[in-house]
RNA sequence: GCCUCAGUAGCUCAGCUGGUUAGAGCGGCGGACUGUUAAUCCGUAGGUCGUAGGUUCGAGCCCUACCUGAGGCGCCA
């Protein structure tokens, strides 16, 4: 007999039907009630057995974590916690979980502890919900771009270019670390390496995505990205997933429109398809915050925050306007900021971004037209020759979730910028060729996938929204 | 990389200004009960108080170094 998934069983509620359910024991009460979860949904099914029919030593092997099969009839539940339950006729145990050593107890565990047992944390309510939602976010991204006729482009993970300027890179090499081959001048001889040149893990697929966009029209990448920065924060990973759409003939405003529509699509999709999981995370966070003093609690619950994000247009203001707001803000005047905003040109710190999003506007903010000196070489220079067509989308609690720009399509201007910023033009000849032959205005952005999942699930630490986080000093599992 | 805080039983934590046998809840184990909802009740075991030094008659508590974790900052997505 085919097994029935618990999500199907709970939604169909076919009383009288005989079913086979396979899953893991959440709890076993009274030697009679087994709560079983199979990962198909948040909720468990309660299997009820007649303890008279079983040996006590057999019943003792049914402990939290045990994998088993039950066969039985769906009946209306006599208890109040659930509508239906299974009247068990047969149990088969696949794998026991020794209660003396199994670390997951039916009690609250800290996220830090669960991070140390990341191989088991999927089995908890919280992480089950988080990883079902992570899947939904991923699926929503693909459906959004597919519906708009974007092509999913797989850009390389191993890259030879060291010129992307997006941070420290991880080296890829098959050379003997202890005794690498040397050139006559004593340098490491990468000609002897696997790719016959120096290679690293990618820090961005953008440059390659641009190549695709200028032929396929509109493309997006969605893949792993690696940064060897020594970043120790709740929103940085050394290995993370990034979504990078790139659109030909799009200017910065088209780019902002696309990004805002995408973010709203993802949020709507999750609100519609992950109700039960979201409700659980929502309630957990209310419970957690009830321990805190009132002024530290969030004004809106998780679900309210998500709903408010899709209800209104995001605020769009230029960097120059943002500086004016910040200059005149209370924390700036009272010198509460660690970095006081004094003049145009200052790079915004996360405290400033948070002020704009969380205090001043209380909704997502898109900042655009940044000073060129604080932005990357490939961003299009405005007519004022002071700013570039860059945009960052700032989200409450997360900060920068998207960074993007219209790209510089003019070859001479781009070359001048690369010269200014010490980006070696020879290495990027292929990137420049795009400006030489059939260049056109184009734009794109990068979305930090885990930051999006963080926002949607309300998880405070990015390490809790990726199955096996890689951070400085940590690559377990 | 910098700053701050923390590390006590398997987990979550208490342990007053340094004072004698280091506590609780949950979990484990043994038993009772039986339509339970992280079941309940009774009993019981479990700790080189992160590691290494030091101060002191005496250190879980004070000092130094290191390790680990968390929060904040920087780098960014």
């Amino acid at each position: 007999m085919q097994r029935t998934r618990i999500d199907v069983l709970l939604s169909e509620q076919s009383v009288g039907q005989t079913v086979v359910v396979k899953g893991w024991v959440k709890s076993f009460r009274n030697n009679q009630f087994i709560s079983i979860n199979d990962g198909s949904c948040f909720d468990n099914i309660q299997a009820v057995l007649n303890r008279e029919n079983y040996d006590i030593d057999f019943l003792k092997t049914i402990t939290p974590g045990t994998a088993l099969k039950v066969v039985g009839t769906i009946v209306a539940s006599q208890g109040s916690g659930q509508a239906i339950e299974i009247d068990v006729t047969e149990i088969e145990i696949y794998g026991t979980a020794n209660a003396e050593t199994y670390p997951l107890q039916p009690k609250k565990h800290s996220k830090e502890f669960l991070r140390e047992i990341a191989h088991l944390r999927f089995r908890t309510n919280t992480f089950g919900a988080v990883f079902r939602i992570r899947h939904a976010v991923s699926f929503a991204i693909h459906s959004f771009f597919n519906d708009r006729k974007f092509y999913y482009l797989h850009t390389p993970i191993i890259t030879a270019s060291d010129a992307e300027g997006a941070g420290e890179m991880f080296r890829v090499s098959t050379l003997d670390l202890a005794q690498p081959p040397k050139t006559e001048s004593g340098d490491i001889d990468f000609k002897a390496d696997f790719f016959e040149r120096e290679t690293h893990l990618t820090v961005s697929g953008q440059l390659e995505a641009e190549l695709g966009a200028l032929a396929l029209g509109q493309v997006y990448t969605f893949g792993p990205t690696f940064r060897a920065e020594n970043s120790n924060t709740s929103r940085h990973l050394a290995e993370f997933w990034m979504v990078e759409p790139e659109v030909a003939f799009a200017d910065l405003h088209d780019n902002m429109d696309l990004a805002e529509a995408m973010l709203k699509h993802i949020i709507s999709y999750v609100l519609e398809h992950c109700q039960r999981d979201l409700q659980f995370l929502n309630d957990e966070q209310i419970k957690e915050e009830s321990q805190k003093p009132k002024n530290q609690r969030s004004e809106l619950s998780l679900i309210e925050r998500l709903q408010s994000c899709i209800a209104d247009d995001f605020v769009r203001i230029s960097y120059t306007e943002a500086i004016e707001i910040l200059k005149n803000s209370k924390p700036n005047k009272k010198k509460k900021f660690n970095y006081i905003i004094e003049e145009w040109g200052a790079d915004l710190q996360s405290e400033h971004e948070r002020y704009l999003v969380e205090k001043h506007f209380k909704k997502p903010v898109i900042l655009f037209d940044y000073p060129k000196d604080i932005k990357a070489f490939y961003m299009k220079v405005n007519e004022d020759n002071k700013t570039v067509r860059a945009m960052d989308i700032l989200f409450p609690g997360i900060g920068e979730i998207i960074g993007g720009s219209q790209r510089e399509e003019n070859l001479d201007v781009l070359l001048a910028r690369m010269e200014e910023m010490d980006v070696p033009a020879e290495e990027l000849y292929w990137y420049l060729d795009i400006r030489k032959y059939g260049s056109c205005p184009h734009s794109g952005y990068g979305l930090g996938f885990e930051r999006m999942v963080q926002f949607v699930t309300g998880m405070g630490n990015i390490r809790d929204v990726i199955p096996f986080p890689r951070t400085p000093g940590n690559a377990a599992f």
Side-chain angles (χ1 to χ4, degrees):
Chain A
M1 204 176 154
Q2 275 270 309
R3 87 174 170 107
T4 306
R5 281 201 332 264
I6 291 170
D7 60 332
V8 172
L9 198 154
L10 289 174
S11 61
E12 291 180 354
Q13 311 244 331
S14 330
V15 169
Q17 200 188 353
T18 299
V19 290
V20 177
V21 166
K22 301 180 181 182
W24 293 269
V25 174
K26 263 275 173 17
S27 71
F28 184 34
R29 297 178 292 271
N30 256 359
N31 270 352
Q32 188 179 11
F33 303 98
I34 313 175
S35 278
I36 303 171
N37 188 280
D38 67 1
S40 63
C41 60
F42 180 86
D43 289 301
N44 308 319
I45 185 79
Q46 173 160 284
V48 186
L49 52 86
N50 184 346
R51 78 179 78 73
E52 315 281 301
N53 299 344
Y54 301 90
D55 194 67
I56 186 71
D57 288 327
F58 173 77
L59 294 179
K60 276 185 180 172
T61 63
I62 303 172
T63 57
T66 298
L68 48 64
K69 168 177 102 170
V70 300
V71 184
T73 314
I74 302 177
V75 296
S77 178
Q78 294 171 41
S80 56
Q82 56 283 315
I84 56 167
E85 61 196 21
I86 300 175
D87 189 12
V88 174
T89 53
E90 185 191 326
I91 303 178
E92 182 186 339
I93 291 183
Y94 292 120
T96 56
N98 186 338
E100 265 182 279
T101 52
Y102 188 59
L104 292 173
Q105 314 153 8
K107 76 174 283 261
K108 176 139 180 79
H109 293 286
S110 67
K111 306 249 174 30
E112 292 79 20
F113 171 66
L114 293 171
R115 226 171 272 154
E116 289 168 15
I117 51 165
H119 55 306
L120 297 172
R121 68 178 176 168
F122 298 108
R123 302 175 179 206
T124 63
N125 289 334
T126 299
F127 286 93
V130 164
F131 290 113
R132 275 187 295 272
I133 292 172
R134 183 180 163 111
H135 163 79
V137 172
S138 170
F139 189 80
I141 287 166
H142 285 299
S143 76
F144 175 82
F145 286 118
N146 187 59
D147 288 351
R148 293 182 176 228
K149 310 293 180 195
F150 279 65
Y151 299 110
Y152 179 22
L153 190 71
H154 298 96
T155 50
I157 289 168
I158 297 173
T159 170
S161 96
D162 188 17
E164 291 163 28
E168 290 295 309
M169 302 176 96
F170 289 102
R171 182 179 298 290
V172 174
S173 174
T174 55
L175 294 179
D176 181 0
L177 272 180
Q179 286 187 310
K182 298 280 178 68
T183 61
E184 282 176 19
S185 58
D187 297 327
I188 291 174
D189 182 12
F190 288 105
K191 278 265 185 286
D193 205 345
F194 187 88
F195 294 107
E196 300 182 10
R197 60 191 300 173
E198 233 184 311
T199 49
H200 299 91
L201 293 177
T202 184
V203 292
S204 164
Q206 180 201 315
L207 302 191
E208 288 92 347
E210 285 187 50
L211 314 181
L214 265 67
L216 294 165
Q218 35 191 23
V219 302
Y220 71 105
T221 73
F222 187 169
T225 308
F226 307 86
R227 306 260 167 102
E229 300 288 344
N230 191 7
S231 298
N232 293 290
T233 80
S234 56
R235 26 175 226 295
H236 287 89
L237 292 165
E239 177 184 284
F240 64 101
W241 289 67
M242 188 150 65
V243 179
E244 295 174 293
E246 196 68 35
V247 184
F249 310 113
D251 66 16
L252 187 64
H253 290 279
D254 299 327
N255 202 26
M256 292 193 269
D257 290 344
L258 180 70
E260 182 168 342
M262 180 197 71
L263 293 170
K264 286 179 169 168
H265 172 82
I266 296 169
I267 294 169
S268 310
Y269 185 91
V270 171
L271 278 169
E272 190 186 334
H273 291 87
C274 307
Q275 289 179 25
R276 186 67 186 84
D277 289 318
L278 270 182
Q279 192 64 51
F280 173 76
L281 295 172
N282 185 78
D283 297 348
E284 279 299 290
Q285 277 149 41
I286 289 170
K287 257 190 250 166
E288 265 170 46
E289 292 200 348
S290 68
Q291 317 279 329
K292 293 187 189 169
K294 268 212 174 107
N295 60 357
Q296 284 178 30
R297 295 181 205 165
S298 23
E299 290 173 36
L300 299 178
S301 73
L302 172 63
I303 290 175
E304 288 167 341
R305 277 204 300 281
L306 297 179
Q307 284 165 340
S308 81
C309 266
I310 53 175
D312 293 321
D313 290 343
F314 295 180
V315 173
R316 298 186 188 189
I317 57 165
S318 68
Y319 166 88
T320 306
E321 292 169 278
I323 287 289
E324 281 310 306
I325 292 170
L326 289 167
K327 255 195 198 164
N328 295 319
S329 69
K330 262 193 196 165
N332 202 59
K333 286 181 170 167
K334 293 191 170 172
K335 305 211 187 290
K336 287 277 162 63
F337 283 141
N338 288 318
Y339 295 86
I340 304 300
I341 298 287
E342 276 164 4
E343 55 187 29
W344 193 92
D347 206 350
L348 300 183
Q349 307 294 318
S350 51
E351 58 182 345
H352 307 128
E353 297 177 349
R354 294 186 74 136
Y355 175 82
L356 289 171
V357 175
E358 291 162 23
K359 293 274 167 359
H360 190 83
F361 291 112
K362 298 191 177 185
K363 57 164 88 168
V365 174
I366 310 182
L367 291 181
F368 60 92
D369 286 353
Y370 279 82
K372 68 174 183 180
D373 295 340
I374 58 173
K375 287 292 182 181
F377 74 92
Y378 48 73
M379 296 183 175
K380 184 166 178 61
V381 180
N382 274 311
E383 287 79 30
D384 62 12
N385 202 30
K386 280 164 60 188
T387 57
V388 288
R389 291 187 193 166
M391 64 108 174
D392 283 356
I393 302 187
L394 311 178
F395 260 36
I398 308 288
E400 187 180 342
I401 197 164
I402 279 179
S405 67
Q406 185 170 337
R407 318 305 189 189
E408 182 56 73
E409 84 270 23
N410 181 297
L411 181 64
D412 294 331
V413 177
L414 183 59
L415 278 170
R417 285 284 284 157
M418 289 169 81
E419 173 94 44
E420 248 175 65
M421 302 182 76
D422 281 328
V423 180
E426 324 75 62
E427 265 190 54
L428 291 179
Y429 75 91
W430 43 271
Y431 186 69
L432 294 167
D433 265 6
I434 290 304
R435 274 76 181 170
K436 245 186 240 171
Y437 309 115
S439 187
C440 72
H442 62 287
S443 301
Y445 61 83
L447 167 76
F449 178 67
E450 281 77 15
R451 289 190 183 173
M452 188 69 210
V453 180
Q454 239 190 307
F455 180 73
V456 169
T457 57
M459 299 298 279
N461 195 313
I462 201 164
R463 293 160 204 184
D464 294 332
V465 299
I466 188 166
F468 302 103
R470 270 81 181 97
T471 53
N474 201 337
F477 309 105

